[in-house]
Amino acid sequence: MVSWTGFSKKIPAERWDHLEKNQIISKEGLQRLTQQNLLPLTTANQMAENVIGRLALPLSLAPDFLVNGEVYHLPMVTEEPSVVAAASYAAKLIKRSGGFTAAVHQRQMIGQIALTGLVDHEKARQTILKQEDELLAAANAAHPSIVKRGGGAREIKVEINEKFLIVYLSIDTQEAMGANIVNTMMEAITPNLEQLTGGQSLMAILSNYATNSLVTAQCAVDLRYLSRNKKEAQILAQKIELASELAQVDPYRASTHNKGIFNGIDALVIATGNDWRAIEAGAHAYAAATGSYRGLSQWIFDREANQIIGSLTLPMPIATKGGSIGLNPSVQLAFDLLENPDAKTLAGLVVSLGLAQNFAALKALVGSGIQAGHMKLQAKSLALLAGATDQQVPQMVSQLLQEKHMNLEVAQKILKNLD
Ligand code: HMG
């Protein structure tokens, strides 16, 4: 078993050694990691328009996530101090308590076509549903390669709205997020739908509200890991349960609660080259599925088992193929660290990380307060920004934390006095 104790205290080159010695990264992956230029400008220029450069962000590793009985080390891309520390901390406690279970309910994408100008919506709906097999065949004929790989169009649903008849097509996109596959199929069946109904298509497009790609992660944390003091641990567990309830009833809190979840989710989604805007949009729509915006996770204090039990469900249409995934060498490096999971496994990891992140934030919020841990790491960022060396950082941090106001000017003053 690999020991991660002290990993956070190492410098990056020592962390590379640790990854190499423990065979957590391939030789090729290590080369990529140690190269300074991870995304060639020529590749960047193929990924977006009007490219003039690249913007670098820290790539971190949150080790030791036990998910469905396997250990994973999660690459995270984030600019925010304390996010990776919090994820690592939560992963440790959750592993000791038995780890995460992650379940992928289904993995299909949804496309929609909105038809207008119809006189009899119900009649048009019936006509479409009668032709479901033919429409699915037409959709599949437009993208035969996904059918060859075992995917393809699966089901048609039709909803009547005051002005629109909306046709939804569910598609198994296998390892891809599938925007191109879905949009190609939707556009291919548009003329058939117009002919069948006499209506006109307003648009045909993938929906990011990926309700056919729901994933649930669950975990438990033994009370003894909340605090060594039994009474204190019980109070913390009660408060985490209450914090979860608060996020169900107050949208102001729900938004921040979910932001905390996305601190983790976005970091892994970005590291794996996925479309985080799509995943955020789908998850926020899901958070409002009942008509009011709610926290995406729930925590319950199981007083008999002496555990706090967490659960998080959201749409997770994450991909391991397609888009810029194969183009960006840093993204390939992230997949290397993850040991090249398939899309369903990756979806489970992403949601588990979201739950871990949420646990750490809630524990801090209802315990010592968010500032204690956050400020410690904020102080480290300020120290580095002021120009402190690795050796000077610890002393700078402890001095900064004693200051009433912590900012760059104060950090620079402290650094000057250290010299
Ligand atoms: P602590 O108890 O002071 O940590 O917590 P520790 O120094 O005792 O270390 C415990 C473990 O945490 C370490 O074990 C590491 O795993 C990890 P070790 O390696 O020592 O055996 N850890 C670190 N990992 C990497 N680098 C580090 C580091 N420090 C500890 N420098 C901790 C400190 C930050 C973990 C805790 O205070 C915490 O979890 N705070 C929550 C921080 C957080 O959620 N930040 C996100 C930004 S705030 C936000 O945007 C979201 C929010 O608004 C969401 C919401 O409202 O719900 C809060």
Side-chain angles (χ1 to χ4, degrees):
M1 212 172 52
V2 181
S3 165
W4 292 92
T5 309
F7 185 72
S8 62
K9 316 257 174 342
K10 294 181 194 292
I11 58 166
E14 292 169 343
R15 293 191 189 120
W16 297 339
D17 280 350
H18 182 83
L19 299 185
E20 191 185 16
K21 274 192 198 124
N22 292 292
Q23 294 170 1
I24 285 156
I25 195 163
S26 70
K27 269 210 169 97
E28 203 192 358
L30 191 70
Q31 256 173 15
R32 283 204 174 111
L33 193 57
T34 51
Q35 276 166 11
Q36 289 307 302
N37 186 0
L38 284 169
L39 177 63
L41 193 59
T42 46
T43 312
N45 198 33
Q46 286 165 34
M47 289 164 68
E49 303 74 38
N50 294 0
V51 170
I52 54 167
R54 291 138 296 170
L55 185 148
L57 284 171
L59 167 66
S60 304
L61 194 71
D64 238 3
F65 274 72
L66 180 65
V67 182
N68 293 338
E70 301 280 337
V71 171
Y72 298 90
H73 312 300
L74 307 185
M76 295 178 73
V77 171
T78 181
E79 85 299 344
E80 189 172 1
S82 87
V83 166
V84 179
S88 311
Y89 175 57
K92 186 176 291 186
L93 301 194
I94 293 166
K95 187 179 178 208
R96 287 181 191 153
S97 308
F100 298 87
T101 53
V104 175
H105 303 273
Q106 208 186 357
R107 198 185 139 76
Q108 286 177 17
M109 293 305 293
I110 299 169
Q112 62 179 163
I113 297 172
L115 295 167
T116 57
L118 292 162
V119 183
D120 188 341
H121 279 128
E122 184 50 37
K123 192 171 159 213
R125 191 174 84 91
Q126 293 298 338
T127 310
I128 293 168
L129 290 177
K130 268 189 210 139
Q131 291 289 310
E132 182 175 8
D133 289 346
E134 289 78 1
L135 288 164
L136 291 179
N140 283 330
H143 214 298
S145 62
I146 190 66
V147 180
K148 261 189 219 151
R149 275 185 249 123
R154 296 286 185 255
E155 193 188 11
I156 287 181
K157 282 190 178 159
V158 187
E159 293 289 333
I160 297 172
N161 188 278
E162 205 179 310
K163 274 196 180 156
F164 309 105
L165 188 79
I166 309 174
V167 181
Y168 300 96
L169 180 65
S170 289
I171 302 159
D172 177 349
T173 57
Q174 297 278 301
E175 291 298 302
M177 188 265 204
N180 284 334
I181 301 169
V182 175
N183 293 338
T184 303
M185 287 191 178
M186 302 312 291
E187 287 184 10
I189 63 168
T190 297
N192 310 37
L193 289 170
E194 286 181 332
Q195 205 181 21
L196 279 172
T197 61
Q200 290 93 49
S201 159
L202 181 66
M203 64 173 75
I205 187 76
L206 159 110
S207 169
N208 289 124
Y209 190 27
T211 50
N212 287 349
S213 293
L214 291 182
V215 177
T216 298
Q218 288 174 307
C219 70
V221 184
D222 295 342
L223 248 55
R224 66 195 146 130
Y225 298 128
L226 292 185
S227 166
R228 286 204 185 115
N229 178 311
K230 249 187 182 177
K231 188 77 204 137
E232 204 174 275
Q234 277 177 343
I235 293 171
L236 274 175
Q238 278 163 13
K239 285 186 173 176
I240 291 173
E241 186 178 59
L242 270 178
S244 155
E245 285 171 25
L246 177 63
Q248 295 301 309
V249 296
D250 175 29
Y252 286 89
R253 176 56 208 154
S255 169
T256 322
H257 180 99
N258 291 342
K259 187 274 182 189
I261 291 172
F262 274 94
N263 276 341
I265 289 186
D266 281 347
L268 181 49
V269 169
I270 294 170
T272 55
N274 273 275
D275 181 346
W276 71 94
R277 289 87 54 206
I279 285 171
E280 286 251 8
H284 292 302
Y286 190 69
T290 57
S292 49
Y293 186 88
R294 290 164 182 244
L296 285 160
S297 68
Q298 280 89 34
W299 292 91
I300 292 166
F301 177 13
D302 183 336
R303 285 152 176 90
E304 272 178 24
N306 258 327
Q307 287 183 320
I308 180 100
I309 315 259
S311 169
L312 171 64
T313 300
L314 74 166
M316 189 43 65
I318 196 133
T320 62
K321 301 270 182 313
S324 70
I325 291 172
L327 284 178
N328 191 335
S330 313
V331 167
Q332 289 161 29
L333 166 64
F335 277 99
D336 189 331
L337 289 163
L338 290 163
E339 297 189 58
N340 297 305
D342 62 15
K344 285 184 177 170
T345 308
L346 180 57
L349 296 180
V350 176
V351 181
S352 299
L353 175 56
L355 188 59
Q357 203 73 58
N358 178 233
F359 168 74
L362 294 187
K363 180 177 177 285
L365 280 172
V366 303
S368 55
I370 200 68
Q371 289 305 77
H374 194 67
M375 292 318 278
K376 203 161 98 183
L377 295 163
Q378 191 77 40
K380 189 177 160 196
S381 290
L382 274 178
L384 290 168
L385 205 60
T389 62
D390 283 347
Q391 288 75 22
Q392 289 169 319
V393 166
Q395 204 185 337
M396 288 269 303
V397 167
S398 65
Q399 289 198 31
L400 270 168
L401 288 172
Q402 285 164 24
E403 293 289 333
K404 208 167 169 201
H405 298 291
M406 218 169 58
N407 56 35
L408 186 57
E409 210 183 319
V410 174
Q412 282 163 338
K413 252 189 214 156
I414 295 175
L415 182 64
K416 228 176 177 181
N417 290 336
L418 284 188
D419 293 336

